[in-house]
Amino acid sequence: MKGPGLLIVLLVVLGGVSGLGFLLGLGNAAILAALTALFCLIAAVGGPLWADLRLLAWFAPSLVLAVGAPRLLGQVSQWAAIGLLVVIVVVAGLLPVLGARFVTVGLGLGMASLFGYGFQLTGTASAGQILGAPALAVGVVILLRILMGAKDPAKPTREALADAIAAGTAETQERAARLWLADRPRRWTGRVLGGMFRYRAATGLLEIRGKHLDSAEIARTLDAAKEEAVRLADVVRTPKATDGVEPVRRMELVQLPGATARLVAALWDSLETIRSAATERDESHVDVPKGLRQELRRIELSGALSWRSPQFRHALRCGLGVALALVVASFRPGDPLTVSFLLATFAIMQPDWHDSLRKAWQRIGGSLGGAVVLALVLWLLPQGFLLPIGLAALLGGFSVMRTRPTIFNGCMVLMSVGMNATTKHLDPRYVLVEYLLLMVLAGAIALLFGFAAIPGVPKPGPAERFGTAVEATRTLLGSVGRKLRGDNVDPRTLGREFRAAAVAQHGLLAAEPGTKEPAPGQRDALENAAEALRGLSVTASSLLLRPGSAGAAAAVGEAARALGTEEVAEIPVPPDADEEQRLVLDTIAADVVALGEAARLVRAA
């Protein structure tokens, strides 16, 4: 959601929650409820309706406890409250290992807990009011999420599928597969997903063959197929089946080697599969292997809960940095800028130390820019204008929080200084100087722990991390292939290999302090490689949940052999494969091709 629509939602959330809070007797905690709702909203939107509601089923009570419990515990023991907050922040730092969807979930949980602890109420509030505030916030957000998605609950899934068909990056493919699995999987979207994977695999292989053969015909075919893919993506986006969709306009080629001709036929057949699925729209449910979602979570978490996991080390660094910030804040009780200081420290720390440096610059640079604007406001306008300007900055800042982080940070200066100076009758110039000093201190603390090298942890470069992740995944696929053939593979060995592959995949994107920053092309390639390798681990797990077959074993073995190479490798699909097994094998083929392209870019940089 962007632009005016997001602003309307923010106004509804802030106004509705605060108004309901006062009506329900929350008193001063009504403002806490309204602002907590914004953090809940960050995590509540991002997937199809049913998937988001399942997520909120556990996130909502977690958020209530994360916001209320540290504040209540702080009334008994400040140090116990700090310890609980550190634990919450560490958990929030681990959540992104569950996938890109959980990045905002971890961000919302961590920021809401720190906000709930540091927010200064204008009066007293009972324990019921403090717990009731976040409970009201999540209740309103859940209701709002239902209203936002009730008309078209599967829209995000269709949009993700359409984006994957039209764009075809590893990131869009992985997002489409995850949303399809998280939603109520329908047969027609499953056929679209399978056709998309076959199309992307055929496209990648033909691009490689086109370079080897120097064939203009292949290039023209790929261009024509991309035009058809964009047209079909628009068909997939529509909420209802569309009549009269033209069949795929094929460009037939002559005088091509047999294997290339088969790939061209597969390319057009995959697009025709997408067209027929999107027009027929079989809404019956797909029989997803039982326990696949739980297996996916188990694989990802097993890799994260290890000292060798960069995400785990980041979560610990984040907890230590926030602990220091909380100790510093404890020496300034009642300071209205404590919330801004704590949130800035948490937001700057990122898994990759280069990203932490970038966030620090965005925070401090944006704050300086906001300070210049605020100085002009104080010079040109009466102080009474600070409060409405601060509220407008709050709404405008949240609407660009993800797209324009520097502007967002500048807006937060206007909001924090303007509101605190007005409501607490403080000198805005003094508050502004204090705010800037706290932002510099927050950046220093975050970078201290973001740059802190942990003794004994190696510092491999991008190419070495890529090679380690590929080799760990190849070993895993080899064992899965033997298991599918009926060989005796120790389940404990499989478990260790799943864990090692997950750890290596997490390490692709989280560089240790002191390592060389990836080149721009390398960074994108590493992100695509991480998505493809995670996809291969998931599909391998799904094959183990189904009865084994020689055809599936052969496909996994071929994938393991070609993994991370730039050679042309076709993943065989058994003639007797059912629709679900074909989808899994098509996914493997697309991931292998994406990984081959990533290997070329990583090694070339």
Side-chain angles (χ1 to χ4, degrees):
M1 184 176 296
K2 301 176 183 178
L6 180 58
L7 285 177
I8 292 172
V9 170
L10 291 175
L11 285 171
V12 169
V13 170
L14 285 172
V17 174
S18 58
L20 279 174
F22 283 114
L23 289 175
L24 294 174
L26 292 181
N28 298 315
I31 304 301
L32 173 63
L35 295 174
T36 301
L38 294 181
F39 297 113
C40 185
L41 190 64
I42 291 173
V45 180
L49 176 61
W50 303 115
D52 283 349
L53 291 179
R54 279 199 306 271
L55 185 150
L56 285 168
W58 65 264
F59 179 75
S62 300
L63 187 71
V64 172
L65 292 175
V67 172
R71 191 180 189 98
L72 293 175
L73 187 60
Q75 298 175 3
V76 179
S77 171
Q78 184 182 47
W79 299 110
I82 289 175
L84 178 58
L85 279 168
V86 170
V87 172
I88 294 172
V89 166
V90 170
V91 172
L94 285 173
L95 285 178
V97 303
L98 298 176
R101 174 69 181 88
F102 287 84
V103 172
T104 54
V105 176
L107 181 66
L109 182 65
M111 295 183 75
S113 64
L114 293 172
F115 178 83
Y117 178 76
F119 181 72
Q120 299 295 320
L121 296 174
T122 55
T124 59
S126 66
Q129 290 174 324
I130 290 174
L131 290 175
L136 175 63
V138 298
V140 170
V141 169
I142 290 173
L143 178 61
L144 182 63
R145 181 66 188 93
I146 292 173
L147 293 175
M148 290 168 60
K151 184 178 179 180
D152 190 2
K155 181 180 179 181
T157 303
R158 294 197 317 274
E159 292 283 349
L161 287 168
D163 290 343
I165 294 168
T169 63
E171 181 181 359
T172 57
Q173 290 178 21
E174 179 72 8
R175 171 173 164 77
R178 283 181 177 271
L179 289 189
W180 178 81
L181 182 61
D183 200 1
R184 294 175 170 178
R186 306 288 181 173
R187 193 162 299 279
W188 82 267
T189 51
R191 290 183 61 200
V192 169
L193 186 66
M196 180 271 294
F197 279 126
R198 285 195 292 277
Y199 166 66
R200 287 302 161 195
T203 298
L205 294 174
L206 282 171
E207 287 175 347
I208 296 172
R209 285 185 182 272
K211 293 173 184 176
H212 290 168
L213 299 174
D214 194 21
S215 172
E217 281 189 294
I218 292 178
R220 286 195 299 271
T221 299
L222 290 173
D223 290 340
K226 288 175 183 177
E227 292 180 6
E228 288 295 284
V230 171
R231 178 175 71 90
L232 295 176
D234 292 335
V235 177
V236 171
R237 279 193 178 92
T238 58
K240 299 293 183 182
T242 305
D243 296 329
V245 178
E246 294 183 15
V248 174
R249 297 184 288 266
R250 299 179 180 234
M251 179 181 287
E252 302 294 343
L253 301 182
V254 295
Q255 298 179 348
L256 286 176
T260 304
R262 288 196 304 273
L263 283 173
V264 171
L267 177 74
W268 296 118
D269 288 345
S270 63
L271 291 175
E272 185 59 42
T273 297
I274 294 172
R275 189 200 70 82
S276 63
T279 53
E280 295 168 7
R281 303 226 173 179
D282 181 354
E283 295 286 352
S284 61
H285 289 280
V286 173
D287 182 22
V288 176
K290 187 177 181 181
L292 179 57
R293 292 188 183 94
Q294 291 77 9
E295 186 70 9
L296 172 59
R297 299 285 179 258
R298 186 192 66 78
I299 292 170
E300 290 166 329
L301 286 175
S302 68
L305 299 176
S306 165
W307 183 249
R308 294 183 297 138
S309 167
Q311 191 72 39
F312 181 71
R313 297 195 297 271
H314 160 69
L316 291 180
R317 283 195 189 104
C318 205
L320 291 173
V322 168
L324 179 57
L326 287 165
V327 171
V328 171
S330 69
F331 291 105
R332 298 178 60 84
D335 188 344
L337 296 181
T338 293
V339 167
S340 299
F341 171 58
L342 295 177
L343 295 182
T345 305
F346 175 72
I348 290 173
M349 285 185 286
Q350 301 294 313
D352 188 316
W353 68 286
H354 305 105
D355 291 338
S356 296
L357 186 60
R358 195 174 298 112
K359 287 282 186 180
W361 162 245
Q362 290 172 352
R363 176 70 61 167
I364 296 173
S367 298
L368 290 173
V372 171
V373 173
L374 184 60
L376 290 175
V377 169
L378 293 172
W379 180 38
L380 299 173
L381 298 174
Q383 189 169 331
F385 281 85
L386 285 180
L387 184 59
I389 289 174
L391 291 173
L394 173 66
L395 296 174
F398 266 97
S399 67
V400 297
M401 181 174 66
R402 298 182 66 181
T403 57
R404 305 280 183 85
T406 303
I407 294 177
F408 165 74
N409 291 319
C411 290
M412 291 305 100
V413 177
L414 297 171
M415 183 275 293
S416 185
V417 175
M419 294 182 70
N420 283 307
T422 302
T423 59
K424 300 184 184 303
H425 309 290
L426 301 173
D427 184 347
R429 292 179 291 270
Y430 171 80
V431 178
L432 176 59
V433 171
E434 183 189 359
Y435 184 94
L436 292 176
L437 291 175
L438 286 175
M439 290 304 102
V440 172
L441 179 59
I445 291 174
L447 294 180
L448 170 66
F449 288 95
F451 281 72
I454 298 177
V457 174
K459 302 176 179 62
E464 187 178 348
R465 297 201 306 274
F466 176 81
T468 300
V470 168
E471 189 57 39
T473 308
R474 179 184 289 116
T475 301
L476 169 63
L477 291 181
S479 295
V480 170
R482 291 194 299 275
K483 181 73 172 178
L484 292 173
R485 284 197 300 269
D487 295 350
N488 185 19
V489 178
D490 189 345
R492 290 172 298 182
T493 300
L494 269 176
R496 286 193 296 269
E497 290 174 352
F498 269 113
R499 183 185 180 91
V503 169
Q505 291 157 17
H506 295 160
L508 271 177
L509 302 179
E512 283 297 311
T515 57
K516 179 183 177 182
E517 182 173 11
Q522 269 189 331
R523 177 178 290 274
D524 294 340
L526 290 175
E527 290 176 355
N528 291 339
E531 297 289 355
L533 289 170
R534 278 198 293 265
L536 287 169
S537 293
V538 172
T539 48
S541 176
S542 69
L543 287 172
L544 290 176
L545 295 174
R546 301 172 57 93
S549 72
V556 172
E558 178 62 22
R561 186 193 63 80
L563 205 62
T565 67
E566 300 176 42
E567 65 175 276
V568 178
E570 298 180 48
I571 306 302
V573 177
D576 59 344
D578 59 27
E579 194 167 319
E580 284 75 27
Q581 189 179 56
R582 181 178 292 274
L583 172 60
V584 171
L585 297 181
D586 289 336
T587 305
I588 291 175
D591 285 335
V592 169
V593 171
L595 199 61
E597 179 64 18
R600 183 182 66 79
L601 294 174
V602 168
R603 291 162 185 158

